[in-house]
Amino acid sequence: MDFPVLIRIGSLAIPPHQVLEGVGCFLAFRLYLALRRRGGDPLRSERRLVLLAAATVGAALGSKLLALADNPAPVLAHPDLRVLMAGKTIVGGLLGGLVAVELAKKWVGETTPTGDLYVFPLIVGIGIGRIGCFLTGLADDTYGIATRLPWGIDFGDGIARHPTQLYEIAFLVFLAAALAWRARRPYPRGDLFKLFMAAYLAWRLAVDFIKPQHVTLLGMTPIQLACLAGLVWYAPHLPRLLGFASPSPSPSPTNPDAAGPAWQTR
């Protein structure tokens, strides 16, 4: 296989990353709408729209700013808008969206946990996007360091590397199955999203050790430090999420914070 693997339509050769990223976003949004229709939404429509707008803006800013902190060299070498807009990172998008939503909830006076509906759409969108990252090869800057393992892949520079994009797809499949199993039992509303975030941040903290590191502090990249900060944020919930604390309460009219699967929440 020669990288990048271009999508050919007639005489056109289209880079795969933008196409698959767009497909991932489209399918993720369709899944979100389907889950919302099937199970309802604990928020009124106008509140959900405000929080969706906040999440979108926060994710866009967070993904750009953290990518710039992680690898400023391209922007410093070519300080123009096109280069600045090219870099982004999922970790920055997730954490930026989280911060923006929490601020928006305080602004509108909303206290209901709101993230469970996003969990499976996020997994779908990230997974499909990672296929585009893999097919793009070296230009995407998401590959791993050199390896002698038999499944190492040469992305075009003559070096067999960890296909960290494929590792992440496999992890997301496992995570989706684990969360679907967890969602079959009652859980406090919001816990599915917390569990997704903690699991993904822990994964990225670990797997980024086998990716090229552009900027480091205390032996970690800015992305890894952001993952660590996110895990600290979720640390008070981890004993419950991992099953070391009291079992989750069952749904009841007198316990509005308890919920069943995200697609059954009313």
Side-chain angles (χ1 to χ4, degrees), residues 58 100 103 115 181 206 233 259:
L103 291 174
W181 175 81
W233 172 262

Side-chain angles (χ1 to χ4, degrees), residues 4-60:
V5 180
L6 300 176
I7 298 173
R8 298 191 179 277
I9 303 175
S11 60
L12 293 177
I14 305 171
H17 188 275
Q18 288 79 5
V19 173
L20 287 168
E21 189 177 80
V23 170
C25 290
F26 173 77
L27 293 179
F29 187 64
R30 295 300 301 174
L31 178 58
Y32 160 77
L33 293 176
L35 292 176
R36 191 167 182 259
R37 282 195 303 269
R38 180 176 176 179
D41 191 337
L43 297 184
R44 300 194 304 272
S45 294
E46 60 272 19
R47 284 282 175 90
R48 180 63 74 176
L49 286 174
V50 169
L51 298 186
L52 275 173
T56 301
V57 173

Side-chain angles (χ1 to χ4, degrees), residues 85-155:
M85 295 303 292
K88 53 187 177 293
T89 171
I90 293 169
V91 171
L94 291 174
L95 292 177
L98 173 66
V99 170
V101 167
E102 291 302 316
L103 291 174
K105 286 170 69 175
K106 288 185 180 297
W107 178 53
V108 300
E110 182 60 63
T111 58
T112 304
T114 58
D116 290 340
L117 273 171
Y118 304 136
V119 169
F120 293 104
L122 281 171
I123 291 174
V124 168
I126 294 171
I128 294 174
R130 282 301 185 215
I131 298 173
C133 294
F134 174 73
L135 296 177
T136 300
L138 293 173
D140 193 70
D141 203 28
T142 56
Y143 49 84
I145 59 176
T147 180
R148 294 184 179 180
L149 293 171
W151 54 80
I153 292 179
D154 178 0
F155 287 101

Side-chain angles (χ1 to χ4, degrees), residues 198-256:
Y200 186 78
L201 293 174
W203 158 258
R204 285 298 303 270
L205 177 62
V207 78
D208 279 27
F209 279 113
I210 59 170
K211 293 181 181 180
Q213 299 185 338
H214 304 287
V215 176
T216 58
L217 178 64
L218 303 175
M220 291 186 286
T221 65
I223 289 177
Q224 289 176 300
L225 291 172
C227 290
L228 193 58
L231 289 171
V232 170
W233 172 262
Y234 284 113
H237 305 283
L238 290 180
R240 182 184 74 256
L241 295 174
L242 297 176
F244 297 119
S246 332
S248 301
S250 298
S252 71
T254 59
N255 186 3

